[in-house]
Amino acid sequence: MLAASKAVEVAVETQQLSVDPNLVDAMIKKLNEMRDELAKIRRKRDQLSLNMKIGGGYAMEIAKANTTFGQAAIKQIDDIDRAIESLKTQIEKSRASYKNVDEAGSDSFKKINGKS
């Protein structure tokens, strides 16, 4: 997701991408919904990396593996959240780019019609 966000950032900066402003709100809404779901998971983050004392030997190894997995999951959740926020920023920039291009085109038509 982070790589996709970087690709969108480059496309926006080079003006190779612009997004219809009507679609931006829908995309931002969906990204916010994703972040809300991540927040629900994050609130239970302690449970993800809980070091359970379930006995010795093989059970101890499973508990360690579960703790390691949980810690990695927490990092991934945080990374995804940052990537979503970055993507939202790039989408907003794209909206601004679209608006600027649209206004420039409108100004050009005004000049052609002698109304500037």
Side-chain angles (χ1 to χ4, degrees):
M1 187 173 261
L2 193 56
S5 178
K6 288 292 182 190
V8 171
E9 180 179 0
V10 170
V12 169
E13 287 177 3
T14 59
Q15 296 183 345
Q16 295 177 4
L17 174 71
S18 64
V19 178
D20 182 336
N22 298 322
L23 296 176
V24 171
D25 292 333
M27 289 191 290
I28 296 294
K29 180 180 177 187
K30 288 295 183 186
L31 290 171
N32 284 335
E33 289 172 3
M34 289 174 65
R35 289 189 80 201
D36 291 345
E37 290 301 316
L38 288 174
K40 288 178 188 176
I41 295 168
R42 190 178 289 115
R43 283 192 288 274
K44 297 180 181 181
R45 75 184 320 154
D46 292 339
Q47 294 173 8
L48 288 173
S49 61
L50 189 63
N51 186 5
M52 298 183 64
K53 307 291 186 203
I54 57 175
Y58 183 69
M60 184 186 299
E61 292 303 314
I62 290 174
K64 285 180 188 177
N66 287 343
T67 300
T68 301
F69 173 80
Q71 291 168 343
I74 290 168
K75 183 183 179 319
Q76 288 296 315
I77 290 166
D78 291 341
D79 290 347
I80 291 169
D81 189 59
R82 281 190 294 276
I84 290 171
E85 188 58 33
S86 176
L87 186 55
K88 283 175 48 180
T89 299
Q90 296 312 315
I91 290 170
E92 288 291 353
K93 285 182 181 179
S94 181
R95 179 196 325 237
S97 173
Y98 181 92
K99 183 179 177 186
N100 291 338
V101 168
D102 192 44
E103 287 174 358
S106 175
D107 290 345
S108 294
F109 281 119
K110 287 178 186 175
K111 288 177 185 176
I112 291 173
N113 289 331
K115 295 181 180 179
S116 75

